[in-house]
Amino acid sequence: NFFDRAYLIGSAGTVLGTYRKTHLGGDEATWATPGDHRCEVISDPALGRVAMMISDEVWSPEVSRCLALAGAEVVLHPADWDILEAGEMAATERATENRFHLVSVNRLDSPGRLGSQTTLAGEYIGGEPIPLMRYGQGIWCRYGVEEQVIVELPRRQAHCKMMGDHLDVLKKRAPALYSVCCKPKEELYGWRQMSPDLQLGKQLELPRQHQHCR
């Protein structure tokens, strides 16, 4: 089998951890086998608590939320962004709503024409304007330029999950209500099932029970 796999290499050159991409996208499904478990959080004295996700998994909120719940302080994210919004919107949202540092390393010739990006977890200090309170700070490399940007990632920020005075993004949850999140995809309420042979823009006939959706 073939996998889309990421490796975490330590300062001594040893492999600290690996991750097989679980949420395949686009043409990947034609050659790759999805991984069968999320990335384990790796504790390293020099790096802190680190996890990984790959490429367009940044669009799947559950991936990032599970890593945050597992205690990741930094999420390393090898990326291949095809649109600008992947970095400026999706990556920023994932880091902000989970309050971890997200280090997205993009290829130089990315179709999305966006450089690598580090989104800081941020730290709520009280009395901030809402934009500063809610949205993470991003630091970018220039698109198409081979450069290194050194960014300090304070570990304490990833332990402050507050987004305002009353919202802890992890503790203010009600897991007992979320069983629907674990329903198999075949049981979801959605008649329009996408498949590789489905042409975009093709008009589909709605099932009888969904005729009112026209």
Side-chain angles (χ1 to χ4, degrees), residues 56-68:
D56 54 4
E57 288 184 318
V58 74
W59 289 102
S60 300
E62 295 87 351
V63 175
S64 294
R65 178 49 56 94
C66 288
L67 296 179

Side-chain angles (χ1 to χ4, degrees), residues 162-178:
M162 298 302 295
M163 187 186 288
D165 294 331
H166 308 289
L167 175 58
D168 183 308
V169 297
L170 296 188
K171 290 184 178 179
K172 197 168 186 177
R173 299 177 305 115
L177 305 179
Y178 304 155

